[in-house]
Amino acid sequence: MPPGERLLMKVSATRTFARIAPHVIPALDRAVHRLSRGKVLLSARMLPGVVLTATGARSGLPRRTPLACVPEEGGGWLLVGSNFGRPGHPAWTGNLLRNPEAEVSWRGRDIPVRARLLTGEERARAWRAALALWPPYAAYQARVTREIRLFRLERR
């Protein structure tokens, strides 16, 4: 692992990062994604990423959220509702629970998906895959009492 990547993982596991990142990273990602016509996500330089468009659970309006993902064999994705290790579940997870039909922007293409909350052994396997990709997820889970939600997105 390159030294820069090791440092990035160490910094991203801190509480300071958890306070600042949710306000900065998604806004930058949305702007760059829009300007590049869906071809670039800044955060994808660190981790694979999608822009999830889900229907708001309360508003019924489309909500676009840039997210890190774990690409899977067969063309699906895992999404980790870590919220950077903050106490509450991120809003996008509630949106998917209420409205599992969604869309992701992946490498410049919009792809319809269906989300499924993972539980039991399936969740445990997905969690191991997420930790293999991004070990700081373990620090995020250690900071919160809630179980971090994991979703599998499958193409429709």
Side-chain angles (χ1 to χ4, degrees), residues 76-100:
W77 301 267
L78 293 175
L79 297 182
V80 180
S82 69
N83 206 12
F84 298 94
R86 298 181 320 167
H89 292 290
W92 63 264
T93 66
N95 294 343
L96 288 180
L97 289 172
R98 179 85 181 258
N99 302 297

Side-chain angles (χ1 to χ4, degrees), residues 78-130:
L78 293 175
L79 297 182
V80 180
S82 69
N83 206 12
F84 298 94
R86 298 181 320 167
H89 292 290
W92 63 264
T93 66
N95 294 343
L96 288 180
L97 289 172
R98 179 85 181 258
N99 302 297
E101 305 288 320
E103 184 176 271
V104 293
S105 176
W106 171 253
R107 298 181 176 164
R109 294 183 49 227
D110 294 331
I111 302 166
V113 295
R114 180 167 184 80
R116 188 167 47 83
L117 180 65
L118 301 181
T119 60
E121 182 53 37
E122 185 180 25
R123 185 197 180 280
R125 282 191 305 276
W127 182 248
R128 287 190 296 271

Side-chain angles (χ1 to χ4, degrees), residues 17-134:
F17 184 84
R19 278 195 306 276
I20 296 168
H23 304 290
V24 177
I25 293 173
L28 284 172
D29 264 344
R30 276 191 287 274
V32 170
H33 189 260
R34 187 176 53 252
L35 291 171
S36 69
R37 293 184 173 92
K39 291 182 176 43
V40 177
L41 277 177
L42 286 180
S43 61
R45 300 290 183 229
M46 299 176 284
L47 291 167
V50 296
V51 175
L52 172 70
T53 302
T55 302
R58 289 194 295 252
S59 71
L61 299 172
R63 301 294 184 199
R64 292 177 58 80
T65 310
L67 298 167
C69 68
V70 180
E72 294 191 296
E73 298 272 332
W77 301 267
L78 293 175
L79 297 182
V80 180
S82 69
N83 206 12
F84 298 94
R86 298 181 320 167
H89 292 290
W92 63 264
T93 66
N95 294 343
L96 288 180
L97 289 172
R98 179 85 181 258
N99 302 297
E101 305 288 320
E103 184 176 271
V104 293
S105 176
W106 171 253
R107 298 181 176 164
R109 294 183 49 227
D110 294 331
I111 302 166
V113 295
R114 180 167 184 80
R116 188 167 47 83
L117 180 65
L118 301 181
T119 60
E121 182 53 37
E122 185 180 25
R123 185 197 180 280
R125 282 191 305 276
W127 182 248
R128 287 190 296 271
L131 289 177
L133 181 69
W134 192 245

